[in-house]
Amino acid sequence: PDAIYYGGRRCKLMSTPLEVYFEQGAPRPELDCSYSSLWRGYIATWRLEGGQLFLVHLRPGMADAPRLTIGTFFPGQGRNVLASWFTGRLRISAGRCLASLDGGFMSAHERETLVEIQNGRVISEHALDLASIPMAAWPAELMGDRWW
């Protein structure tokens, strides 16, 4: 998963906002995707700050891959790129892993936060303390249709 700075800490981002950018027609650079667990070929770092979502860092998914920067996808833009293309839900995970199907996106952690974004701006946030809720009562929207 990607990473996100949220609430003063680095967390796992169980969403892929940059993929929406490519789905909308932006050209995707050729990246080494030889591992099925990192089919995107990159790992992005994000920041939620001032009610906005920013892309702040990119790195290749493979240690021996060519250098990758935000400029690879956004030539001429600064270090922090407002994710104005993104409208959707972010799932931010923190704390101990409580359950996992694949060790990655299909994992649930002690603290899960669902953040609704519209054009790069926060619309709403909903925090869940899964450690205090029986698994059978976890909200379905947390994992989507693919969870158990």
Side-chain angles (χ1 to χ4, degrees), residues 2-148:
D2 287 349
I4 188 166
Y5 289 95
Y6 176 76
R9 70 175 87 151
R10 184 179 171 100
C11 303
K12 292 181 180 180
L13 180 60
M14 303 301 197
S15 311
T16 54
L18 193 52
E19 288 304 303
V20 173
Y21 180 71
F22 298 129
E23 290 167 7
Q24 292 174 353
R28 177 190 290 274
E30 290 293 320
L31 301 170
D32 184 359
C33 301
S34 54
Y35 290 119
S36 62
S37 62
L38 190 56
W39 53 269
R40 298 172 294 145
Y42 66 86
I43 298 172
T45 302
W46 304 84
R47 180 181 310 277
L48 271 176
E49 184 173 46
Q52 297 178 320
L53 176 64
F54 294 94
L55 175 62
V56 298
H57 184 73
L58 283 168
R59 68 179 175 91
M62 307 279 295
D64 58 350
R67 186 168 186 263
L68 179 66
T69 67
I70 289 177
T72 305
F73 298 147
F74 301 94
Q77 293 201 27
R79 293 180 51 131
N80 295 324
V81 176
L82 175 64
S84 59
W85 67 88
F86 183 73
T87 294
R89 176 179 290 156
L90 301 178
R91 184 166 70 91
I92 300 170
S93 300
R96 184 174 52 91
C97 183
L98 300 176
S100 177
L101 287 180
D102 67 355
F105 289 97
M106 297 301 295
S107 301
H109 293 76
E110 291 174 309
R111 292 177 306 283
E112 298 280 349
T113 304
L114 302 176
V115 181
E116 295 293 334
I117 303 287
Q118 184 173 27
N119 301 104
R121 301 186 190 293
V122 174
I123 300 302
S124 67
E125 300 178 46
H126 181 70
L128 298 164
D129 179 5
L130 292 188
S132 66
I133 304 171
M135 186 183 290
W138 289 358
E141 70 268 16
L142 182 67
M143 299 301 175
D145 298 334
R146 299 174 292 178
W147 187 252
W148 281 293

